[in-house]
Amino acid sequence: MIPSLYIHIPFCKNKCDYCDFFSIAQQYRKGKCNDLTDSYLSSIVKEIQIYADSYAITAWKTIYVGGGTPSLLSPAQIVYLFSEIKKIAPFSKDCEITCEMNPDDVDEEFICACKNAGVNRLSMGIQCLDDKALQAVHRGSSVALIHRALELLKNHWTGRLSVDFIAGLPGHTWKRFESQFEILKEYPNIDHVSLYTLTVEEHTPLAKKIDEGKIAVSYEKADRMWMCGRRILEKQGFLHYEVSNFAKKGYESRHNQSYWKQEDYVGVGAGATGTIYDFEKKSALRWTNTLSIPAYEMSLLSEKEQGLPRTVEILDEETLEFEFLMMGFRMLSGVCDSDFEKRFRKSLAERIGAEQEDGVFRRWQKNHLATAKKTKNGTVYALNRRGILLLNRFLEELL
């Protein structure tokens, strides 16, 4: 088996007000974060070894280190982590290896450590180039730090580079939102952009501030900003290939595509999720690790034999089928009927209502929101640029 590998580093200097991912804010000193110890990385290595043995893993297709804030790892920890991964199973010939980072952590030592470790793709969370908006959501960065990081990457990093933006952050003006994309012209080494619409998740500090009337958010403005951002990115040569992702031709995220195409991926670390598929049995095994870092480390490093600290569910055929459609229609390349029929032994056209006059897909096609195109491999069904904005409504109708 040659799966993808996701590693979760659940530590941050501070939690952004909009963040709903599992992470813990820690007191930080350069190169050392409280509780970001070698024992956590040793636990990760041990967990990877368990899966490698269980599933006869012979190589890694892609590797993604996310968080949290992986750039809080010291250079020595970065090199250690990847050298141990490679001992367990080698990187495939064209393995895409990504590490997330925050602008304020970027320095020459970090960049050098990533190079030495084999990382060939970095992903940086810019979010926006407006100090007022960054401060409004307690984002631990600044426009000056972002520019400093990009200059360092321009001068010292030769691999691929992805950046994130968020449309609709409180306090972000239209003028500053539009002008921030000029940075992509200044730094041509950026080949991938994720552009998200601000989502206010329950129980986050941002949701609380909105409820208390301390801050205002306009969802309509956020949506309009996102569409404006899409137009700008496409004019600059970035292909819109997935709901929130844009890339120069040939630089799409292969790791994320492994999720969207229902390919095996191993998730390790506290809070991580992994899925191993068995399409012969029309099922899959999905696990989610404990959010308790002490429990995670204890179960893996204890001399006593213990089970992995995770919850497990078996996905049935109906769930796999809907997830296949849900993830496939996220991509503007769409879903091919031959791929669907190979996995589920049924007609895709019939499942999505592509041939019946009152079928879901047929109605969307009539409303110029979807397309069907014959290729040498079969018929590809996809939502178009307008339809992808209404993805959730389309999926609700398919249910």
Side-chain angles (χ1 to χ4, degrees), residues 174-209:
W174 269 99
K175 183 177 180 180
R176 287 178 177 170
F177 176 79
E178 292 178 308
S179 65
Q180 69 185 355
F181 296 105
E182 291 298 308
I183 203 170
L184 303 175
K185 297 177 182 177
E186 297 177 43
Y187 300 98
N189 53 337
I190 298 172
D191 55 47
H192 187 281
V193 176
S194 295
L195 176 62
Y196 303 103
T197 303
L198 177 66
T199 301
V200 180
E201 302 289 353
E202 290 185 32
H203 311 302
T204 60
L206 180 58
K208 184 179 180 182
K209 288 179 180 179

Side-chain angles (χ1 to χ4, degrees), residues 338-387:
S338 61
D339 293 336
F340 182 84
E341 288 161 17
K342 181 180 179 181
R343 291 195 176 187
F344 301 105
R345 297 182 177 87
K346 61 178 70 173
S347 166
L348 176 61
E350 184 177 329
R351 171 64 180 85
I352 64 177
E355 295 175 348
Q356 307 95 309
E357 282 301 310
D358 60 345
V360 173
F361 191 89
R362 185 72 179 126
R363 283 190 282 104
W364 280 63
Q365 199 173 16
K366 287 179 180 178
N367 289 326
H368 307 291
L369 298 171
T371 62
K373 181 180 179 181
K374 291 189 180 298
T375 70
K376 63 180 181 179
N377 296 320
T379 302
V380 174
Y381 299 92
L383 299 179
N384 60 22
R385 293 179 76 257
R386 289 179 58 217

Side-chain angles (χ1 to χ4, degrees), residues 1 46-57 88 266 276 285 287 308 310:
M1 178 188 290
K46 180 72 177 295
E47 188 182 6
I48 294 172
Q49 184 68 67
I50 290 171
Y51 290 124
D53 294 340
S54 299
Y55 296 110
I57 294 171
I88 294 170
V266 171
I276 301 297
L285 183 147
W287 67 86
L308 287 169
R310 63 182 193 171

Side-chain angles (χ1 to χ4, degrees), residues 276-288:
I276 301 297
Y277 296 92
D278 187 338
F279 289 104
E280 288 298 317
K281 296 181 179 178
K282 299 181 181 179
S283 67
L285 183 147
R286 176 168 296 162
W287 67 86
T288 301

Side-chain angles (χ1 to χ4, degrees), residues 26-53:
Q26 300 289 336
Q27 294 298 316
Y28 174 79
R29 299 195 308 276
K30 180 62 184 171
K32 185 176 182 180
C33 187
N34 289 352
D35 291 338
L36 182 53
T37 61
D38 291 337
S39 62
Y40 182 75
L41 295 182
S42 296
S43 302
I44 284 175
V45 171
K46 180 72 177 295
E47 188 182 6
I48 294 172
Q49 184 68 67
I50 290 171
Y51 290 124
D53 294 340

Side-chain angles (χ1 to χ4, degrees), residues 14-19 127-128 130-142 168-173 198 204-210 214-217:
N14 62 271
K15 290 274 287 186
C16 301
D17 286 352
Y18 55 79
C19 182
Q127 315 317 0
C128 78
D130 185 329
D131 283 329
K132 184 178 178 181
L134 291 170
Q135 291 164 9
V137 292
H138 198 213
R139 177 74 178 161
S141 186
S142 68
L169 288 173
H172 203 186
T173 65
L198 177 66
T204 60
L206 180 58
K208 184 179 180 182
K209 288 179 180 179
I210 293 172
K214 294 179 179 178
I215 203 166
V217 168

